Structure formats: structure tokens, C-alpha cells
């Protein structure tokens, strides 16, 4: 049984790296085995590297932090597993130089995933490591597509959670889905706000039938309905800038939300934005999120579109205790 457990944990380790693209040793430890000593995680990573399934780069500017990723062989092996079938890694996912140059954004996305995983554990909700799926491709036609930084699946034990984008799963909870965009202030506020337009198009996009297709009486439907029973909510995580920069980016998002083309999207789902610093300090469930297109309040990410709470007071949200004391990495120096 011990051998079976070891193989299962090895498999999950490779699967997480194949899906997340990259993670540090500490991130892998907290994602997979926070209840054991980190030395066990290190030994597992070293063993899998020796088997040619994963590799690492070392970042001297970050205290010689080791960043792990799958090799081409490891990704090929993982792609045959049912939980990862059909997911193609982006170009450069197995190249040492590409990984090194992409750590600023890649590790921040992984850190965002970790925040949701830890929050689920604290609250007794269900969110497994593979429920965070980066870069899911959503075609818009004409060669264009919406590719969020991640798609999140999350089941809350609270039956009153969610509305516009949640569905009961028959197990005494609500299933939530979210598109997550991690913004590190590497693009201007206008380009960030333009992402609202892309999601509004996806919300209404109906693919044209292939040439020569016979006309039927079937009512055409939006392409996203083939994947999701309800359109996922949209979360913006803002990083890489101070309070003034956060305010500027929130203002740009609020201005974009007033465009008539975005009305249907804003009516159907919550669109929220929060600073990364608040996410790490208080946890995603805390009232740290600013509703885009809504009143000037702060809410939790699972709030419903139509039941906003009253105005927030000046009190700070209660901080969530980190799984590992002092785990507050700063990737701001790794911008590449």
C-alpha cells in the first residue's frame, strides 16, 4: 500500500507541474503536502527529476529559489492521464530559458492558486490542486480567443453561496467557477480594461455553422454553454504596483464597465477585482474584492451578483492565518 501511495503522490506532483506550468519548492509543498515536512517534498522532486519527468531552474536573484517544471517527456507522460487529457502545454513550457524568463508571471499565477486552495482547506470547502486550470482556450472566431490566466472550479459547502454562476451539485453545496486574470501591471490600465470587452464577446459569441451545413430548427447557442452550465464569474487579481496604481487600474475597469456592450455580462455575473497583497494577507473569501460596475464596496469573491452587502466600514477584514508562517513571497523583483 505504501508503494501505491507513493506512486499516487508522484503522479499528482507531475500532474500539478504539467498543469500549473511552474512552481517553487515551497509552493509545491503547500499545494500537495502541507501536513508533512518540506524535506519530503524536496526528496520527491529530486527523485522525479532523476527519472527525467521534471526539471528545475535556480533564481539567484530570489535567494537561489528553485523553480520546477515538467520536461517534454514528463508532459508527454502526464498528457495520457485522464485528468489531463486534451490539455496542451504552451510553447516553451519545457525550455529552461523560457521558464526562467516567465517566472514573474508564472509564479504569481501559482501563488494565486495556492491562496484559493488554502482558503478552501480553512473553510472546509472543496478545491483540489487540479481544480485550477491555467490558460484554457476559448475561441472567438477569426483566429481570436479568450485565454484566462486560469479557470477555477470551487465547491462551497454553503448552500446559500453563489447565484448567477453557481449550480447546486446535490452534495449540499454550490459549485462555483471563475475566470481568473492575474495582472502584474506590465501593461497599461486601458489594455487591462479591454479584457472586459473580450469576455463580453465570449459571453455572447455564437459560432457560425461550417460552410455547407444544412439548416436546422435548432436554436443556436453561445459556445461557452458547451463547457459550462453557467458563465463563470470574472476575477481580476492586481499585483506589481502600489495603492495609487491599484486605484488607477480599478478606475479603468470601472470606466470600461459603463460601456453598453458590457451590460449583459455585468448583469449575468459578478466581476470583481482585488489587490494581490490583500489576497495573500486575508484570503480570497475575505471582503477584499471591489465589484466592477457595482457600488463602492468590498465583498468576498463568492458573493452573488444581486445580493451585495451594505457599505463596508473602515475596519480591516480579519486576516487568515497562513498555512506556513511567514509564507509571503514577493515576485516583484522577478519581472521579466
Amino acid at each position: 500500500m505504501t508503494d501505491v501511495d507513493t506512486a499516487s503522490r508522484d503522479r499528482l506532483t507531475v500532474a500539478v507541474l504539467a498543469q500549473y506550468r511552474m512552481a517553487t519548492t515551497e509552493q509545491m509543498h503547500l499545494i500537495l503536502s502541507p501536513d508533512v515536512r518540506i524535506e519530503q517534498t524536496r526528496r520527491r522532486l529530486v527523485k522525479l527529476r532523476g527519472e527525467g519527468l521534471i526539471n528545475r531552474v535556480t533564481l539567484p536573484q530570489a535567494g537561489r529559489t528553485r523553480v520546477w517544471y515538467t520536461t517534454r517527456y514528463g508532459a508527454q507522460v502526464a498528457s495520457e492521464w485522464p485528468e489531463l487529457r486534451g490539455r496542451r502545454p504552451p510553447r516553451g513550457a519545457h525550455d529552461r530559458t523560457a521558464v526562467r524568463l516567465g517566472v514573474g508571471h508564472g509564479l504569481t499565477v501559482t501563488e494565486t492558486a495556492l491562496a484559493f486552495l488554502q482558503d478552501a482547506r480553512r473553510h472546509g470547502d472543496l478545491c483540489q490542486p487540479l481544480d485550477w486550470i491555467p490558460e484554457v482556450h476559448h475561441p472567438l472566431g477569426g483566429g481570436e480567443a479568450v485565454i484566462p490566466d486560469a479557470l477555477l472550479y470551487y465547491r462551497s459547502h454553503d448552500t446559500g453561496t453563489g447565484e448567477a454562476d453557481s449550480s447546486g451539485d446535490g452534495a449540499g453545496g454550490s459549485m462555483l467557477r471563475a475566470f481568473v486574470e492575474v495582472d502584474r501591471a506590465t501593461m497599461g490600465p486601458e489594455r487591462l480594461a479591454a479584457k472586459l470587452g473580450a469576455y463580453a464577446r465570449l459571453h455572447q459569441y455564437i459560432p457560425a455553422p461550417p460552410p455547407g451545413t444544412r439548416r436546422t430548427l435548432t436554436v443556436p447557442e453561445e459556445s461557452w454553454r458547451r463547457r459550462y452550465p453557467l458563465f463563470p464569474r470574472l476575477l481580476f487579481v492586481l499585483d506589481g504596483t502600489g495603492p495609487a496604481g491599484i486605484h488607477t487600474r480599478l478606475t479603468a475597469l470601472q470606466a470600461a464597465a459603463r460601456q453598453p456592450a458590457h451590460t449583459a455580462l455585468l448583469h449575468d455575473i459578478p466581476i470583481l477585482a482585488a489587490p494581490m497583497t490583500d489576497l495573500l494577507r486575508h484570503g480570497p473569501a475575505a471582503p477584499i474584492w471591489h465589484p466592477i460596475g457595482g457600488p463602492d464596496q468590498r465583498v468576498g469573491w463568492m458573493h452573488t451578483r444581486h445580493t451585495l452587502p451594505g457599505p463596508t466600514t473602515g475596519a480591516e477584514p480579519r486576516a487568515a492565518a497562513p498555512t506556513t508562517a511567514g509564507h509571503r513571497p514577493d515576485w516583484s523583483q522577478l519581472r521579466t
Side-chain angles (χ1 to χ4, degrees):
M1 184 61 69
T2 301
D3 291 342
V4 173
D5 291 342
T6 299
S8 177
R9 292 177 183 178
D10 288 351
R11 173 173 171 147
L12 182 58
T13 300
V14 176
V16 165
L17 283 175
Q19 186 156 294
Y20 284 43
R21 316 303 192 220
M22 65 181 71
T24 66
T25 303
E26 186 177 12
Q27 286 176 334
M28 289 298 291
H29 175 65
L30 294 175
I31 289 170
L32 299 172
S33 306
D35 53 339
V36 303
R37 297 176 62 184
I38 194 171
E39 286 76 12
Q40 295 186 33
T41 302
R42 291 194 180 104
R43 286 197 296 269
R44 172 165 285 110
L45 292 169
V46 170
K47 181 187 71 171
L48 294 172
R49 185 186 184 216
E51 294 173 349
L53 294 166
I54 66 175
N55 205 349
R56 72 188 185 204
V57 295
T58 302
L59 307 177
Q61 72 271 39
R64 298 194 61 79
T65 296
R66 290 176 175 176
V67 179
W68 299 88
Y69 61 97
T70 56
T71 61
R72 191 174 302 278
Y73 169 61
Q76 181 180 359
V77 170
S79 68
E80 299 298 324
W81 299 337
E83 60 268 36
L84 296 183
R85 192 166 295 155
R87 297 183 192 151
R88 297 180 180 179
R91 292 182 179 179
H94 321 301
D95 180 77
R96 290 175 60 88
T97 300
V99 170
R100 179 178 60 83
L101 294 177
V103 293
H105 184 75
L107 293 181
T108 304
V109 173
T110 299
E111 193 68 16
T112 305
L114 180 57
F116 281 95
L117 290 172
Q118 291 178 315
D119 222 35
R121 293 165 185 165
R122 282 190 291 265
H123 293 92
D125 296 335
L126 181 61
C127 183
Q128 303 289 359
L130 296 182
D131 289 334
W132 177 271
I133 310 174
E135 300 180 8
V136 179
H137 189 271
H138 299 80
L140 286 177
E144 296 184 80
V146 171
I147 308 176
D149 284 319
L151 169 66
L152 170 67
Y153 288 91
Y154 190 106
R155 187 170 73 82
S156 168
H157 71 278
D158 183 359
T159 57
T161 296
E163 180 178 327
D165 61 336
S166 66
S167 55
D169 58 5
S174 297
M175 187 70 206
L176 294 165
R177 305 162 193 84
F179 293 130
V180 183
E181 291 285 350
V182 178
D183 171 62
R184 298 184 59 248
T186 55
M187 63 177 70
E190 292 78 12
R191 288 184 60 191
L192 170 66
K195 292 187 177 184
L196 276 183
Y199 282 99
R201 289 175 58 195
L202 176 62
H203 182 245
Q204 299 182 346
Y205 173 63
I206 299 175
T213 302
R214 295 181 59 184
R215 298 182 62 181
T216 67
L217 297 178
T218 304
V219 178
E221 64 177 11
E222 296 85 352
S223 62
W224 61 263
R225 296 185 186 276
R226 301 173 186 175
R227 300 188 185 199
Y228 316 111
L230 298 165
F231 198 84
R233 62 185 56 200
L234 178 55
L235 307 178
F236 289 94
V237 178
L238 308 178
D239 193 29
T241 185
I246 295 292
H247 176 75
T248 298
R249 303 180 92 71
L250 287 172
T251 300
L253 287 169
Q254 296 288 11
R258 291 192 288 270
Q259 297 182 20
H262 304 161
T263 301
L265 179 68
L266 287 159
H267 178 270
D268 284 356
I269 65 165
I271 302 177
L272 309 169
M276 183 70 163
T277 52
D278 289 348
L279 189 78
L280 296 180
R281 181 180 179 187
H282 303 293
I288 61 171
W289 300 86
H290 299 259
I292 303 303
D296 184 15
Q297 301 171 349
R298 290 193 298 174
V299 300
W301 79 273
M302 290 183 279
H303 91 283
T304 68
R305 181 69 181 88
H306 305 293
T307 57
L308 285 169
T312 57
T313 65
E316 285 292 320
R318 185 174 63 182
T323 302
T324 298
H327 178 65
R328 289 293 179 267
D330 179 12
W331 307 120
S332 61
Q333 302 304 316
L334 302 181
R335 188 179 306 170
T336 55

